[in-house]
């Protein structure tokens, strides 16, 4: 069993007492959820024995988790064992699995904090680059097959990112010497971690530059509080470097373009348009 106490599923708005649980209560409820995940279907009596909780405490936590939709009763498919009605068992629901994923995000942050404290900030940066490096290695051949044109390589990158769950899109933007492609990512698997450790966003941006063969410019991130990650990819020529003090005309850092727009011809757009 894995115990992660940093986060627990949210208390239902209309709970039995209408109040939020204490931190200790939340940690215990998280332990119950993790044990149901690891050993379910599991009965209340088994949970009590393993977690050293009273029957009343187990029932309180299970009732709250059922109300939240985090766990659901499991109807046994086999025949009865012994006399009487079989004990009700519980399993984790889809919503419960989502809550557990959030807990693992919190664990990752705790591990990185420990790494930063004991090995220094550089160690976190090294880990971030190593993690993004694996993604970069997987994408390299695919982008190489797209040729040298940055726009074509960006389209290949969008397809690869979307297949990996980043909800990526792109559209042509800019005017004059600052034409380019606005690459957006509507989902970030490490958003919770990157919020505290920007090294993950920086490593990804550097990887995009290497993969696309141009100096890209990160304009917005989900980790930074925006609703989409936005990267400007210059298409004026290999090696072009947009000035960091100038935002390319037509670029809206938080505008998520239609998915089909990557195939459109680069056009001039009005400054400030989305």
């Amino acid at each position: 069993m894995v115990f992660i106490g940093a986060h627990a599923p949210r208390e239902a708005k209309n709970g039995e007492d209408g109040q939020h649980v204490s931190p200790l209560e939340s940690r215990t409820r998280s332990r119950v959820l993790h044990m149901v995940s690891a050993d379910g279907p599991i009965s209340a009596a088994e949970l009590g024995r393993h977690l050293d909780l009273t029957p009343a405490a187990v029932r309180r936590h299970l009732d709250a988790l059922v109300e939240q939709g985090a766990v659901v009763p499991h109807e046994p498919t086999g025949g009865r064992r012994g006399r009487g009605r079989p004990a009700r068992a519980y399993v984790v629901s889809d919503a419960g699995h989502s809550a557990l994923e959030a807990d693992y995000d919190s664990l990752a942050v705790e591990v990185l904090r420990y790494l930063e404290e004991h090995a220094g900030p550089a160690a976190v940066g090294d880990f971030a680059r190593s993690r993004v490096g694996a993604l970069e290695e997987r994408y390299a051949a695919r982008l190489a097959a797209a040729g040298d044109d940055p726009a074509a390589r960006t389209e290949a990158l969008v397809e690869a990112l979307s297949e990996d769950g980043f909800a990526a899109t792109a559209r042509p933007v800019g005017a004059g010497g600052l034409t380019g492609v606005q690459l957006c990512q509507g989902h970030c698997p490490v958003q919770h971690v990157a919020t505290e450790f920007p090294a993950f966003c920086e490593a990804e941006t550097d990887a995009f530059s290497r993969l696309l063969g141009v100096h890209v410019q990160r304009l917005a991130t989900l980790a930074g509080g925006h609703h989409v990650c936005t990267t400007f990819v210059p298409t004026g020529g290999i090696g072009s470097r947009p000035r960091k003090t100038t935002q390319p005309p037509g670029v809206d850092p938080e505008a998520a373009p239609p998915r089909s727009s990557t195939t459109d011809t680069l056009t001039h757009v009005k400054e400030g348009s989305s």
Side-chain angles (χ1 to χ4, degrees):
M1 184 193 78
V2 179
F3 166 50
I4 303 168
H7 285 279
R10 284 185 179 178
E11 201 63 8
K13 292 183 178 179
N14 298 315
E16 293 180 345
D17 55 9
Q19 297 178 354
H20 293 292
V21 296
S22 67
L24 177 60
E25 190 90 344
S26 293
R27 287 194 293 271
T28 303
R29 193 156 299 167
S30 181
R31 292 174 63 201
V32 172
L33 178 60
H34 278 85
M35 175 146 282
V36 175
S37 174
D39 297 334
I42 186 170
S43 68
E46 291 172 313
L47 285 166
R49 286 195 299 271
H50 288 299
L51 299 175
D52 195 23
L53 297 173
T54 65
V58 172
R59 178 57 56 193
R60 183 174 69 253
H61 290 301
L62 282 174
D63 287 347
L65 290 169
V66 169
E67 185 178 351
Q68 295 168 28
V71 303
V72 293
H74 173 75
E75 296 298 332
T77 56
R80 287 187 177 182
R81 295 183 179 180
R83 297 180 179 180
R85 185 177 181 180
R88 175 175 291 183
Y90 296 86
V91 295
V92 176
S93 67
D94 290 341
H97 284 297
S98 296
L100 287 169
E101 290 174 4
D103 275 352
Y104 288 121
D105 283 345
S106 299
L107 176 63
V109 170
E110 290 180 17
V111 170
L112 289 169
R113 286 174 183 165
Y114 182 90
L115 181 64
E116 183 178 53
E117 179 181 352
H118 292 273
V124 176
D126 288 343
F127 175 77
R129 286 186 290 273
S130 174
R131 184 184 183 279
V132 174
L135 179 144
E136 182 180 354
E137 185 175 352
R138 286 195 296 109
Y139 291 174
R142 185 167 185 168
L143 267 68
D148 293 333
D149 177 49
R153 293 175 76 93
T154 301
E155 184 172 355
L157 178 59
V158 164
E159 293 173 355
L161 288 170
S162 294
E163 290 173 6
D164 280 346
F166 287 86
T169 55
R171 66 167 180 143
V173 293
L178 286 177
T179 54
V181 176
Q182 181 171 315
L183 168 63
C184 293
Q185 296 158 259
H187 175 68
C188 174
V190 296
Q191 177 182 347
H192 187 67
V193 173
T195 298
E196 183 165 342
F197 298 97
F200 286 85
C201 294
E202 295 165 4
E204 183 182 75
T205 304
D206 291 341
F208 285 179
S209 288
R210 291 189 294 269
L211 285 167
L212 298 172
V214 292
H215 176 72
V216 305
Q217 184 177 355
R218 181 61 61 87
L219 302 176
T221 63
L222 285 159
H226 302 276
H227 74 266
V228 66
C229 293
T230 307
T231 305
F232 176 72
V233 182
T235 56
I238 299 296
S240 60
R241 302 176 63 88
R243 292 177 297 169
K244 291 187 177 182
T245 56
T246 302
Q247 180 167 295
V251 174
D252 180 351
E254 296 193 64
R259 183 171 300 276
S260 62
S261 62
T262 54
T263 57
D264 295 341
T265 305
L266 285 173
T267 58
H268 294 291
V269 294
K270 294 181 180 180
E271 184 171 353
S273 63
S274 57

